[in-house]
Amino acid sequence: MDQLQRDMCFYYGYNEYLMEKLLQLFTVNEAVEFFEANEIARPVTIRTNTLKTRRRDLAQALINRGVNLDPIGKWTKVGLTIFDSPVPVGATPEYMAGHYMIQAASSFLPVMALAPQENERVLDMSAAPGGKTTYCAALMKNTGLVVANDANREREKALVANIHRLGISNAVVCNYDGREFPKVMGGFDRVLLDAPCSGTGVISKDASVKTNKGPEDFSMLTNLQKELLLSAIDSVNADSPTGGYIVYSTCSVTVEEDEAVVNYALSKRPNIKLVDAKLDFGRPGFTSFRGRAFHSSLSLTRRFYPHTHNMDGFFVAKFKKLSNKVQVEENQFIVPAGSGVKLKQKKKRRN
């Protein structure tokens, strides 16, 4: 096995640490399929902006320009796959007019799982470059409020540009470390956290991931993901009449960034539970991995792989918040600041 691992490292160009981690995830045959899929670019996909057009009309307009396209699949009513185009897809009049967003098919999934409703208050905690924010706004039909936050000010330039181009009028852009929520703002109906991750699901887009990720990177990222997820949970109002949901997603396939983070959140916040993300495909998440047992409800999470679903590797988990109070000890509860609960203050007696 050691010799096989070294040979695969040499052949596919991965470092030994990441190769070992991925071989733990798959059988040898499936690992080879995964590595081969990472050598091939994923199809270019676009999302129809339903605030401005319909998919049928957009498809016809692009076909008239000589674009060869097809619907992505039955699971989405707004996605199109571009096979080839005589004009740059990011420079057509339809693109400039905001009729579509160039967006990976996998990043449709967390928004579909979140399922934001009209007139809700929604937080996209790591929003740039805006594909998921603008999808949320479109599903909400420009009603309510979408708070689009990103910790990277440079990346927010693309976020703001896409919000303007797609005609989004219910979004507010802010620049905070996600861990500062809900102190900055809380009481949301739904929160989407597409967390910063190692990128092991998007190696076909960024081959540097093969060699530049080591133990210290995974340690730093998993700690950040856990902190962000707890902040996302605390930012939701469990008493929301329509919401109270949190979606956690990553473009990573490693268990410590996916199931292990979700399992940690379940242990730290007993006032939440996993629910069905209502995604019709994808593999169930691991309920145990290499001798480590996770909560049985982890089977409700969904995994997506490039070699089986022809999209970027992705992970999606959906939580329902049951109460704004967190039990820390028997008969002792705390209410995280900013969760949307108004606490009654006792009046001081005058002597």
Side-chain angles (χ1 to χ4, degrees), residues 46 58-63 66-71 80-84:
I46 62 174
L58 173 63
Q60 192 57 56
L62 293 176
I63 288 168
V67 178
N68 183 12
L69 53 78
D70 257 334
L80 292 166
T81 301
I82 308 294
F83 296 108
D84 60 77

Side-chain angles (χ1 to χ4, degrees), residues 212-233:
N212 68 4
K213 292 291 182 288
E216 62 284 349
D217 298 294
F218 279 92
S219 177
M220 180 272 291
L221 285 166
T222 52
N223 286 333
L224 175 60
Q225 289 156 354
K226 289 170 182 176
E227 290 175 13
L228 286 170
L229 182 51
L230 294 185
S231 292
I233 292 164

Side-chain angles (χ1 to χ4, degrees), residues 45-49 78-79 99-101 103 108 131 134-135 138 166:
T45 53
I46 62 174
R47 176 181 56 79
T48 309
N49 179 16
V78 294
H99 288 194
Y100 63 89
M101 179 87 178
Q103 187 173 351
F108 292 23
T134 53
Y135 193 5
L166 273 70

Side-chain angles (χ1 to χ4, degrees), residues 38-329:
N38 288 338
E39 301 303 308
I40 305 165
R42 299 275 78 74
V44 175
T45 53
I46 62 174
R47 176 181 56 79
T48 309
N49 179 16
T50 52
L51 293 172
K52 292 194 173 188
T53 188
R54 294 180 298 180
R55 182 170 70 171
R56 182 178 58 191
D57 298 336
L58 173 63
Q60 192 57 56
L62 293 176
I63 288 168
N64 292 342
R65 297 191 186 281
V67 178
N68 183 12
L69 53 78
D70 257 334
I72 290 177
K74 292 181 180 179
W75 58 270
T76 172
K77 296 179 180 178
V78 294
L80 292 166
T81 301
I82 308 294
F83 296 108
D84 60 77
S85 173
V87 293
V89 182
T92 64
E94 287 78 17
Y95 177 84
M96 298 298 186
H99 288 194
Y100 63 89
M101 179 87 178
I102 301 172
Q103 187 173 351
S106 57
S107 71
F108 292 23
L109 302 171
V111 180
M112 291 169 63
L114 189 69
Q117 306 297 305
E118 292 178 41
N119 298 306
E120 286 187 334
R121 294 175 74 242
V122 175
L123 169 63
D124 187 352
M125 197 173 262
S126 188
K132 287 178 276 293
T133 292
T134 53
Y135 193 5
C136 285
L139 290 175
M140 295 164 69
K141 298 180 181 176
N142 258 346
T143 64
L145 173 69
V146 181
V147 176
N149 178 72
D150 202 275
N152 188 326
R153 187 176 286 273
E154 279 301 304
R155 281 169 55 83
E156 286 200 328
K157 293 176 182 177
L159 171 62
V160 171
N162 283 319
I163 285 171
H164 284 301
R165 183 174 62 82
L166 273 70
I168 307 303
S169 59
N170 66 339
V172 172
V173 177
C174 55
N175 174 225
Y176 291 102
D177 184 322
R179 292 169 291 187
E180 293 182 41
F181 288 87
K183 292 176 184 175
V184 173
M185 201 183 306
F188 291 96
D189 297 299
R190 297 171 199 251
V191 174
L192 173 59
L193 171 59
D194 186 32
C197 68
S198 62
T200 51
V202 290
I203 293 172
S204 62
K205 292 179 181 174
D206 183 8
S208 68
V209 174
K210 293 179 179 182
T211 56
N212 68 4
K213 292 291 182 288
E216 62 284 349
D217 298 294
F218 279 92
S219 177
M220 180 272 291
L221 285 166
T222 52
N223 286 333
L224 175 60
Q225 289 156 354
K226 289 170 182 176
E227 290 175 13
L228 286 170
L229 182 51
L230 294 185
S231 292
I233 292 164
D234 293 343
S235 299
V236 166
N237 183 10
D239 298 328
S240 163
T242 56
Y245 293 100
I246 306 99
V247 167
Y248 172 77
S249 63
T250 71
C251 55
S252 172
V253 297
T254 63
V255 172
E256 61 255 64
E257 294 180 87
D258 298 338
E259 287 89 347
V261 172
V262 170
N263 198 64
Y264 172 85
L266 289 171
S267 68
K268 290 292 182 182
R269 294 290 186 270
N271 58 332
I272 60 169
K273 68 173 183 177
L274 281 169
V275 294
D276 187 0
K278 301 288 175 68
L279 298 173
D280 298 333
F281 65 114
R283 293 187 189 175
F286 290 102
T287 52
S288 63
F289 183 74
R290 295 181 63 78
R292 182 180 176 188
F294 298 129
H295 195 279
S296 59
S297 63
L298 262 294
S299 60
L300 293 170
T301 64
R302 285 291 173 267
R303 288 180 151 265
F304 303 88
Y305 296 117
H307 60 288
T308 52
H309 305 107
N310 197 23
M311 61 172 66
D312 295 331
F314 224 75
F315 175 81
V316 180
K318 184 175 184 178
F319 301 90
K320 168 69 174 170
K321 191 171 180 181
L322 306 173
S323 167
N324 288 316
K325 295 179 181 178
V326 182
Q327 186 168 358
V328 287
E329 289 179 22

